[in-house]
Amino acid sequence: MPFISSIQRQTDFNVFDSNTPIVIDNGASYFRIGWAGESEPRVIFRNIVQRPRHKVTGETVTIVGDHDPALLKYFDCTRSGPRSAFDNNVVYQFETMEYILDFGFDRMGATTEIDHPVLITECVCNPVQSRSKMAELLFETYGVPSIAFGNDVAFSYKYNQQQGVCAKDGLALCPGFNTTHVIPFVDGEPVYEGCCRTNVGGFHVTNHLKQLLSLKYPYHLTRFTWEKVEDLKMEHCYIASDYASEARLFQKEPEQAEAKNRYWQLPWVPPPTDEPPSEEEIARKAAIKEKQGQRLREMAEAKRSSKINELENELHGLEFLLHQLEQVDESDVLSFLSETGYVNRQEIESARNKVMQSLRKAKGEPKNEQAETEKDDLATSEKYSLINIHDDMLTEEQLNEKKKQLSLKSMADGRQRLKQKRYEEELERERKQQLEEEKRLENPDLYLEQLHARYKDLSERVDQQKRLKTNGGHSNGNNVSGGIGRGERLNAAQRERMRLLTTAAFDRGKGEDTFGARDEDWQLYKLMSKDYGNDDDEEPDEDETELARISSRLQDLDPTFIPKLEAGTNQPAEVPRVRPLTKEDFQIVLGVERFRCPEILFNPNWIGVDQVGLDEMAGVSLRRLPYMDETLEQRLTSSILVTGGSSLFPGIVERLEAGIRMIRPCGAPIKIVRALDPVMDAWRGAATFASDSQFHMQTFSRQDYYEKGEDWLRRYQLRYTL
């Protein structure tokens, strides 16, 4: 089975005698495996399994525990997330557990069956189904000769008892990964009748912190991976001695709260600053620009010269052609013109005139308007030669041609008049602009004030016109267009059409419909169907055009001017001012989250777990003892050991002491100590226990498992005092 891991494989597996037990601390968070009698486990990894497929080959690989994130780019992990064999603190996915045991024994160096006794930890009061499945897995799959099941909290307590940290009688409080346990110990043995469990642990603290940070910084969600949030929790979180006063401090004492804040700086690259160019840079850019402009001017001059040469050659050719045409006999004119591609002399002269105009334009010479006018008149008289001839002197075909010439000439005259009108309007516009510019230069402030007054007057007038078009001259009593019906919004032309329709309907009465039988009916139909004053197709009137011009002028002259929006247009949403991102935008601030997340160990109802907190569990455990003895309770509370990964939070001992003191009689002795190593003491205690010569008396073999059955396995209990 292919494994991916950075954990080195041990090479001394065959060195150890077959009687040397293998010790496994099968925790919900981490899996630790090693040899009995040693002080440290050989292999430690996270108790999770992931089985992604390779993106190229499609091969399924097994990733157990920690892995290099860089390897994940080669695998498709979208359909295979990390899986655990635990439900709370009970093993129930034995297929996943088999992957974990395979990997653990493989890293220990085992190649064949495991011929060593195995001591493996389990949770308090482990269900017999889970214990039976685990024994069957070890016996049948790995060929283990004998097994012993023990409790990790008991091993940690016994190890610290041997080190003189706690007494024989005491309480063990273990806030673990998924659950929290309290176990009383009497004469060094756990009393399972008095144990207590709450389904809250370090996993829930990490998950709560991840949720809070995701809500606080939604734009940095990808940064809050489980591993990173776990590191933040262990590095910065603490237990407040009084949660209410600590929260009040963060609310009302910002200076003291600032001192308790912790900052996580995300990767951030400052944006490049645009410094003003130096004088040398400006001069260099100006020189480059001048050089480019000179080159463009030279190219344009060369192109102009080439075009002038081409036009002069073409003009000489046309003049030479006209000179030859004068010397040709009239009988040979048609054949001569057919060779040149022209129809008549007028076409050649027209081409010559166009070339002359283009040549003058290329040379930049002013137009000779009088000559142009005379030529245009001559060309017009030649083009419309039949207009001034009387109809009696023309044939039928010439009369038809005369009608065409009259139509063409009328259209040409109309276009010329329109062109002349536009030209005059442009001259008038330029004259007005020149006068306005003179006024502005004479007194800019007065000119701007007059322009604003003119804009205000025109805008009010245009708004009034639009209200009249919309309301038909009606208002809602406040001089504001209001909620009125369709009939009140009709303009004058539409009301006239409605009147005509009504009149026609009353004139016909209720008899036979004879509308259209008379000629006057069709005249009425034309009036009704005529589109009077379609407001949607009307062009803007003079006031609207002038208002647009003044608005554009004010925008050019007054930077503070904001034009009014037309009625009916949507108000644009205010564009947020974009500021450059700074270093503070990439900082994660841990404030109240530092003590708010671990507080769920004492108040599980904050996350929807309706159970007691860690301090109240001690009182529940004391009340569950099968024998009530005041001196025994005093001995138990005089030696309270806190172990487990979640006991590493600073302030947990002081908070527990304050909470337990509130449920105990006044003056009762209370002593709470933390384990020497809350994380590793369970494995060390198990390794010490397995190294004892009497350990083999506590194990059971495969023959015992199959002969004595499940009922015996249910009653199986390890004795921790050898």
Side-chain angles (χ1 to χ4, degrees), residues 273-322:
T273 57
D274 298 333
E275 298 181 357
S278 60
E279 295 181 359
E280 294 80 3
E281 184 69 16
I282 294 175
R284 185 181 67 83
K285 290 183 178 180
I288 294 174
K289 189 175 181 181
E290 179 63 26
K291 187 176 179 180
Q292 292 175 347
Q294 181 64 26
R295 183 182 176 187
L296 291 174
R297 286 192 292 271
E298 291 175 357
M299 292 171 61
E301 183 63 26
K303 186 176 180 181
R304 176 172 167 272
S305 301
S306 175
K307 186 176 181 181
I308 289 175
N309 292 333
E310 292 177 0
L311 291 173
E312 286 178 348
N313 294 333
E314 188 178 356
L315 181 61
H316 291 159
L318 291 172
E319 289 178 348
F320 179 73
L321 189 62
L322 287 172

Side-chain angles (χ1 to χ4, degrees), residues 43 65 80 93 100 182 197 218 260-261 286 289 376 425 511 580 619 679:
V43 180
S80 175
Q93 286 286 357
I100 293 170
V182 176
R197 186 186 77 176
K260 293 191 175 185
N261 285 342
K289 189 175 181 181
D376 290 342
E425 290 177 352
V679 176

